[in-house]
């Protein structure tokens, strides 16, 4: 191994970001000040939505979106197992039930036909995930929702800046959620947002973010004086601070530059790996203009081959990751009676996936080193798979 460890993802922070945060530290507001509204306005404008509600993290964004959709005990949400567990955990948090439908092999996004089959009389929401940054089939989910009277939540934690059929991510679903964790495309340290065009959904998301607390005279039952407020529903404290919003505004300005560099790196990965027989790449769908969050490959030959590939990369100073273990294979979900065999494409993918280095600060030299390491690791994995197939394993 030569040189420092190359992770699969990391943030980009420069002097503009540091100056933006320090300005807030010298101002009067550390939270719920002008930077919050300004970041919300910037996000809404960049992502083509009427409202943006910024929150403490991407999990909180999902919780707020589902609460705004009115999810409660007895409701079902059709969703994908190929995601981080927060997508369905927040359904459980509201007492509702996730129903997993399988993914498309091409993008590993929720399969619209499978989602349709999973709808019952109790279904209230379809929750799709823009896996790796490729927008889910939002046209089909929105058509289905209209026909069946459902709401669509798009977990766009991976895909800020992307477009589908010419429209930005943030304008495609009834409710869109983002995460601004440091590995995501833009960061606020921890942070997230809910975007919507709907005034009522936005108001409900805002209420849930802030203790269910209402100060707007038009919405209060009475008004005892200028100090008066009402708590009208159960909410949490999911607010995002001014410090974080200032960082978010500064990061959002760099989104076009981040997107461009991520696109260049993915193009180089794809050209370098296209002819490696032991690796399968995702296939873009017509109309999708992804901003890539993850550079994923699937290692052919089963779990042992993937483990060999992963270890071979680690030995060469690359720190890959697996996105994701199928959610319905996690102990929490198995304990609730879910079976990952019910979604065979996602289950098989979870045994073959591996995420390779992809972040704007990755240099061409580091990328060359990572590509060499992947070629060698793929060779080792293919040898392992052949040995297993010939009966050793
Ligand atoms: C990162 C992520 C989340 C959770 O976001 P946090 O900010 O870490 O809470 C949810 N869904 C997906 C698909 C994610 O990638």
């Amino acid at each position: 191994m030569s040189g420092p460890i190359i992770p699969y993802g990391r943030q980009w922070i420069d002097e503009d970001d540091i100056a933006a945060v320090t300005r807030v530290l010298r101002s009067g507001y550390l939270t719920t000040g002008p930077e919050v509204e300004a970041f919300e306005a910037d996000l809404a404008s960049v992502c083509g939505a009427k409202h943006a509600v910024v929150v403490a993290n991407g999990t909180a964004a999902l919780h707020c979106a589902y609460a705004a959709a009115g999810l409660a005990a007895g409701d079902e949400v059709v969703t994908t197992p190929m995601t981080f567990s927060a997508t369905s955990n927040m359904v459980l948090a509201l007492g509702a039930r996730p129903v997993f439908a399988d993914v498309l092999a091409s993008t590993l996004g929720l399969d619209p036909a499978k989602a349709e089959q999973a709808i019952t009389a109790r279904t209230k929401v379809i929750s799709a995930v823009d896996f790796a940054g490729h927008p889910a089939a939002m046209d089909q989910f929105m058509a289905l929702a209209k026909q069946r009277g459902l709401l669509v939540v798009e977990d766009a934690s991976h895909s800020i800046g992307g477009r589908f059929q010419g429209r930005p991510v943030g304008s495609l679903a009834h409710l869109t959620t983002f995460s601004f964790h440091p590995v995501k495309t833009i960061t606020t340290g921890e942070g997230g947002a809910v975007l919507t065009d709907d005034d009522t959904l936005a108001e409900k998301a805002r209420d849930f973010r802030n203790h269910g607390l209402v100060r707007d005279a038009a919405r209060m039952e009475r008004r005892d004086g200028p100090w008066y407020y009402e708590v009208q529903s159960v909410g949490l404290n999911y607010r995002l601070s001014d410090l974080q919003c200032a960082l978010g505004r500064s990061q959002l300005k760099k989104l076009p530059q981040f997107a461009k560099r991520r696109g260049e790196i993915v193009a180089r990965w794809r050209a370098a790996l296209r002819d490696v027989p032991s690796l399968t790449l995702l296939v873009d769908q017509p109309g999708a203009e992804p901003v890539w969050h993850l550079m994923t490959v699937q290692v052919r030959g089963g779990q042992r081959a993937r483990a060999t590939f992963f270890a071979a990369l680690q030995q060469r100073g690359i720190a890959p990751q697996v996105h994701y273990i199928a959610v319905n294979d996690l102990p929490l979900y198995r304990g609730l009676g879910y079976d990952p065999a019910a979604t065979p494409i996602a289950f098989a993918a979870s045994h073959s996936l591996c995420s390779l280095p992809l972040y704007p600060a990755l240099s061409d030299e580091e990328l060359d080193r990572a590509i060499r390491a992947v070629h060698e690791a793929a060779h080792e994995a293919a040898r392992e798979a052949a040995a297993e197939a010939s009966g050793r394993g």
Side-chain angles (χ1 to χ4, degrees):
M1 151 181 164
S2 61
I5 290 187
I6 303 176
Y8 82 90
R10 60 165 303 185
Q11 71 273 21
W12 169 302
I13 295 290
D14 59 27
E15 290 304 320
D16 292 342
D17 300 313
I18 294 166
V21 176
T22 349
R23 258 195 309 275
V24 175
L25 281 169
R26 296 183 207 283
S27 79
Y29 282 100
L30 297 187
T31 194
T32 320
E35 291 295 327
V36 176
E37 279 178 30
F39 185 34
E40 289 183 338
D42 291 352
L43 272 174
S45 139
V46 167
C47 304
K50 185 169 175 196
H51 305 279
V53 180
V54 294
V55 294
N57 53 65
T59 306
L62 287 159
H63 204 183
C64 287
Y66 293 149
L71 279 190
D75 295 332
E76 290 179 357
V77 175
V78 174
T79 190
T80 168
M82 188 41 64
T83 183
F84 183 60
S85 55
T87 312
S88 51
N89 277 358
M90 292 303 102
V91 173
L92 294 173
L94 288 161
R97 201 174 94 85
V99 175
F100 295 102
D102 212 351
V103 295
L104 298 164
S106 53
T107 60
L108 300 181
L110 183 63
D111 181 336
K114 301 277 171 53
E116 183 168 16
Q117 286 163 19
I119 293 172
T120 72
R122 291 181 294 279
T123 307
K124 191 174 257 179
V125 166
I126 300 172
S127 183
V129 174
D130 297 340
F131 181 78
H134 187 295
M138 297 313 300
D139 53 340
Q140 295 181 66
F141 294 124
M142 289 302 280
L144 197 53
K146 190 168 182 190
Q147 194 189 328
R148 308 292 287 264
L150 310 173
L151 287 174
V152 178
V153 172
E154 183 179 1
D155 180 345
S157 296
H158 297 182
S159 61
I160 190 167
R163 299 173 82 84
F164 185 63
Q165 297 178 337
R167 292 164 54 204
V169 168
S171 70
L172 304 168
H174 296 108
L175 292 147
T176 304
T177 68
F178 291 133
S179 164
F180 307 132
H181 182 275
V183 297
K184 306 290 163 71
T185 297
I186 67 166
T187 188
T188 59
E190 294 278 1
V194 181
L195 274 68
T196 182
D197 278 342
D198 185 294
D199 297 345
T200 308
L201 291 176
E203 187 173 273
K204 287 181 175 166
R206 283 182 200 286
D207 288 353
F208 195 74
R209 169 178 69 178
N210 191 35
H211 310 285
L213 196 148
V214 174
R215 283 182 191 280
D216 172 6
R219 293 174 60 206
M220 291 196 293
E221 288 181 13
R222 52 177 219 268
R223 182 164 164 83
D224 296 352
W227 61 86
Y228 185 67
Y229 62 85
E230 287 180 356
V231 170
Q232 297 185 340
S233 56
V234 175
L236 294 160
N237 176 356
Y238 273 160
R239 297 186 302 261
L240 195 64
S241 71
D242 273 54
L243 294 167
Q244 293 168 297
C245 288
L247 178 54
R249 289 179 74 196
S250 173
Q251 288 265 304
L252 191 57
K253 288 195 193 117
K254 292 187 271 271
L255 177 58
Q257 146 198 347
F258 290 164
K260 180 161 171 280
R261 180 64 184 152
R262 282 176 176 274
E264 286 166 6
I265 294 168
V266 168
R268 282 210 49 207
W269 271 123
R270 286 180 165 188
L273 302 183
R274 191 164 289 136
D275 299 324
V276 177
S278 55
L279 300 179
T280 307
L281 307 180
L282 297 180
V283 181
D284 301 358
Q285 295 306 294
E289 298 169 57
V291 167
W292 294 105
H293 162 55
L294 297 174
M295 175 61 216
T296 60
V297 294
Q298 292 181 71
V299 185
R300 295 205 190 125
Q303 297 200 61
R304 292 259 298 266
R306 198 259 306 267
T308 302
F309 181 78
F310 199 98
L313 288 179
Q314 287 184 313
Q315 280 158 16
R316 288 164 178 78
I318 311 296
Q321 188 52 276
V322 168
H323 301 92
Y324 291 97
I325 300 163
V327 173
N328 47 6
D329 192 24
L330 297 170
L332 167 65
Y333 287 85
R334 282 193 177 263
L336 291 170
Y338 291 92
D339 180 0
T343 53
I345 296 175
F347 196 33
S350 78
H351 294 151
S352 68
L353 278 164
C354 188
S355 301
L356 306 176
L358 172 60
Y359 49 92
L362 186 70
S363 69
D364 287 336
E365 294 69 33
E366 288 168 321
L367 181 54
D368 288 340
R369 208 183 108 204
I371 288 171
R372 270 197 308 277
V374 167
H375 280 147
E376 290 165 11
H379 192 69
E380 284 189 26
R383 252 201 336 250
E384 169 68 36
E388 194 167 347
S390 73
R392 191 205 68 184

